[in-house]
């Protein structure tokens, strides 16, 4: 993780774009939704977003994510791939000292992150 080292009280924002319904949004509404989630997260060390894009398909999400300084985690079109990628990233952050995870997903699988530290769930309403 480039930049400054993660501390125990630094927040890491983990976004499951498929679970948030964001992969089907056009760039402008996607940006609005992600900006709202970033504002709700407050100060954070970094943010990552997991989502699937079929091979050979243009990735319209990556540009919006780049503009918002959210690292993309592209995954295969497989069940639970996004959640598993976010869990793997959280485990990496935990190994580096991070202990606070903000989760943008309603997938129960991410509840397993409580073994790594404090987990807060960001809920999108609307």
């Amino acid at each position: 993780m480039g930049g400054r080292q993660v501390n125990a009280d630094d927040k890491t924002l983990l976004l499951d774009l498929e679970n948030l319904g964001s992969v089907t949004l056009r760039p402008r509404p996607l940006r609005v939704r992600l900006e709202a989630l970033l504002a709700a997260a407050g100060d954070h060390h970094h943010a990552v977003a997991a989502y699937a894009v079929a091979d050979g398909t243009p990735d319209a999400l990556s540009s919006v994510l780049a503009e918002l300084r959210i690292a993309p985690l592209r995954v295969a079109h497989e069940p639970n791939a996004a959640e598993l990628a976010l869990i793997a990233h959280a485990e990496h952050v935990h190994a580096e000292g991070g202990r606070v995870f903000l989760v943008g997903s309603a997938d129960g699988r991410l509840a397993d992150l409580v073994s790594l530290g404090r987990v807060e769930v960001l809920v999108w309403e609307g």
Side-chain angles (χ1 to χ4, degrees):
M1 293 183 299
R4 71 175 177 80
Q5 182 174 340
V6 64
N7 296 312
D9 58 346
D10 286 335
K11 298 174 185 176
T12 300
L13 179 57
L14 307 168
L15 300 170
D16 179 349
L17 295 189
E18 294 172 0
N19 192 268
L20 291 169
S22 300
V23 294
T24 59
L25 294 176
R26 295 182 186 270
R28 188 174 189 78
L30 171 62
R31 186 177 295 107
V32 169
R33 181 170 290 187
L34 291 175
E35 286 173 342
L37 289 169
L38 289 169
D43 290 334
H44 56 279
H45 185 270
H46 68 280
V48 297
Y51 61 100
V53 176
D55 289 339
T57 303
D59 181 359
L61 297 179
S62 63
S63 293
V64 174
L65 294 173
E67 291 169 14
L68 297 173
R69 297 184 181 162
I70 300 171
L73 293 176
R74 286 183 54 163
V75 299
H77 273 284
E78 297 176 5
N80 302 314
E83 294 83 5
L84 294 174
L86 292 172
I87 291 169
H89 183 75
E91 290 169 343
H92 169 75
V93 169
H94 182 263
E96 295 293 319
R99 301 292 185 265
V100 183
F101 303 95
L102 304 178
V103 176
S105 175
D107 190 296
R109 180 180 294 270
L110 294 171
D112 293 345
L113 295 177
V114 297
S115 66
L116 302 179
R118 189 173 89 220
V119 176
E120 299 175 18
V121 178
L122 299 175
V123 178
W124 175 258
E125 295 180 4

